[in-house]
Amino acid sequence: MAEAKIIDGKAYAAALRGRIAEEVASLKAQHGLTPGLAVVLVGEDPASQVYVRSKGEQTQAAGMYSETHRLAADTSQADLLALVAKLNADPKIHGLLVQFPVPDHIRQADVVAAISPDKDVDGLTVINAGRLASGLPALTSCTPLGCLMLLKDTLGDLSGKRAVVLGRSNLMGKPMAQLLLAADCTVTIAHSRSKDLPALCREADILVAAVGRAEMVKGDWIKPGATVIDVGISRFPSRDPVAAAAGKTRLVGDVAFDEAKAVAGAITPVPGGVGPMTIACLLANTVSAAKRLHGIDA
Ligand code: NAP
């Protein structure tokens, strides 16, 4: 059997960012509207710092307004919620996200509940999750949205496909399953208590792995010809000892890539698959939020 097609998320995301930049230019020219994104980071988690920097850079590169708020790790929950309230009311800001995880003394659920659903570009509020589950227009979590775009680009119509989503987080697994259901797939959500994961996965025409366990999904878990979307990111020291000593890391997905690509029909690599789609979809969500807030038709 031929090796799997490698799904190039980096190229797809670059093209998407290009389309978003064009739309931003036209919103400015026709409506005097500059979509604005505010990102709030509490503490110094190194991976979060990298994500937040990229979000700011890519927002500006698309011609949008960008604000990054870096708060000390000991910032109180009350002070964080006060900033969220200020950004909710700021007319320059159409998309607002607080980078998670937040330090232990802050309750993530309280932060999510404080974000205006109209600006909730991570799709985490109960309102947006409920709208998605009810088939209503919603701001939807960026990574699953990116996965769905890659799946539609690879497979076209998803109707009737058997989809298995590994992982049931509010950020990833649950919205992914809802998006696949809305695309008329037959969806199974699996998690840490599911029995016989290999057999479950082998039923899937579409397998989305969002677990965070390096190379958990083996080649023999995959139905021949299936499309595999690997969301997982685990960090390990670089294989190059000099680079490792300098603190360089390498990213590993949830799927044993070399084994899987010999069986699958198409597969996303890590890095270069799902990862680049997340920020591109964040920009897309911010543009959607800005248009909705200003009553501009999609
Ligand atoms: P999470 O909140 O930790 O959720 C992980 C899910 O995996 C949970 O539902 C958990 O089940 C399930 N799980 C854990 N171990 C399992 C096992 N041995 N067998 C079956 N299921 C298992 O993580 P998340 O936020 O959804 O993220 C998942 C992964 O995607 C992480 O590696 C994260 O870094 C990555 N990610 C990447 C991007 C990107 O831009 N590429 C974006 C978001 C997340 P229980 O519910 O039963 O505990």
Side-chain angles (χ1 to χ4, degrees), residues 5 7-9 12-17 19-20 23 140-158 172 176 179-180 183 206 208 227 229 268 273-274 276-285 288:
K5 174 191 166 190
I7 300 172
D8 188 347
Y12 191 100
L16 177 59
R17 289 198 305 273
R19 293 196 295 278
I20 292 166
E23 189 171 8
T140 304
S141 180
C142 304
T143 308
L145 211 51
C147 294
L148 188 77
M149 286 179 191
L150 294 180
L151 281 167
K152 286 189 168 168
D153 188 56
T154 305
L155 294 170
D157 184 12
L158 306 184
M172 188 53 225
M176 185 76 251
L179 287 170
L180 289 165
I206 294 170
V208 181
T227 300
I229 303 290
T268 56
V274 172
M277 294 299 293
T278 299
I279 299 184
C281 288
L282 176 65
L283 305 183
N285 274 352
S288 299

Side-chain angles (χ1 to χ4, degrees), residues 8-291:
D8 188 347
K10 204 171 164 189
Y12 191 100
L16 177 59
R17 289 198 305 273
R19 293 196 295 278
I20 292 166
E22 282 170 20
E23 189 171 8
V24 169
S26 119
L27 284 171
K28 283 184 190 173
Q30 292 178 19
H31 299 277
L33 171 62
T34 302
L37 174 69
V39 178
V40 180
L41 172 64
V42 187
E44 271 119 43
D45 178 69
S48 294
Q49 294 211 18
V50 174
Y51 295 140
V52 165
R53 193 177 328 117
S54 303
K55 284 170 184 172
E57 286 168 2
Q58 293 190 31
T59 306
Q60 284 176 342
M64 295 159 62
Y65 174 70
S66 161
E67 267 182 24
T68 303
H69 297 262
R70 291 185 171 78
L71 307 183
D74 62 356
T75 299
S76 70
Q77 175 162 322
D79 284 350
L80 174 60
L81 295 188
L83 175 60
V84 168
K86 191 169 145 241
L87 294 168
N88 280 341
D90 186 337
K92 294 193 299 305
I93 300 302
H94 308 97
L96 161 57
L97 82 80
V98 177
Q99 185 72 41
F100 293 132
V102 282
D104 289 344
H105 65 280
I106 296 175
R107 271 176 45 92
Q108 184 167 314
D110 291 350
V111 178
V112 169
I115 295 172
S116 162
D118 293 336
K119 299 189 177 185
D120 168 30
V121 279
D122 254 348
L124 285 173
T125 56
V126 170
I127 297 284
N128 279 314
R131 291 181 72 89
L132 175 66
S134 306
L136 296 170
L139 286 168
T140 304
S141 180
C142 304
T143 308
L145 211 51
C147 294
L148 188 77
M149 286 179 191
L150 294 180
L151 281 167
K152 286 189 168 168
D153 188 56
T154 305
L155 294 170
D157 184 12
L158 306 184
S159 177
K161 305 252 185 237
R162 285 293 315 267
V164 172
V165 180
L166 288 178
R168 57 173 165 180
S169 68
N170 289 346
L171 183 70
M172 188 53 225
K174 283 180 194 151
M176 185 76 251
Q178 291 293 352
L179 287 170
L180 289 165
L181 193 58
D184 297 323
C185 293
T186 304
V187 185
T188 301
I189 308 177
H191 47 78
S192 66
R193 307 295 173 90
S194 298
K195 307 279 183 226
D196 199 356
L197 285 178
L200 261 183
C201 292
R202 272 193 296 272
E203 291 175 9
D205 304 309
I206 294 170
L207 178 60
V208 181
V211 167
R213 306 240 178 258
E215 301 188 335
M216 185 180 90
V217 177
K218 308 297 179 202
D220 63 1
W221 293 29
I222 293 166
K223 177 174 170 179
T227 300
V228 179
I229 303 290
D230 189 353
V231 182
I233 297 177
S234 301
R235 279 176 196 275
F236 291 97
S238 169
R239 284 207 173 90
D240 172 356
V242 179
K248 285 250 183 225
T249 54
R250 65 190 167 94
L251 303 184
V252 178
D254 285 346
V255 179
F257 182 78
D258 289 338
E259 291 175 22
K261 80 171 193 284
V263 186
I267 185 167
T268 56
V270 176
V274 172
M277 294 299 293
T278 299
I279 299 184
C281 288
L282 176 65
L283 305 183
N285 274 352
T286 303
V287 171
S288 299
K291 283 161 59 179

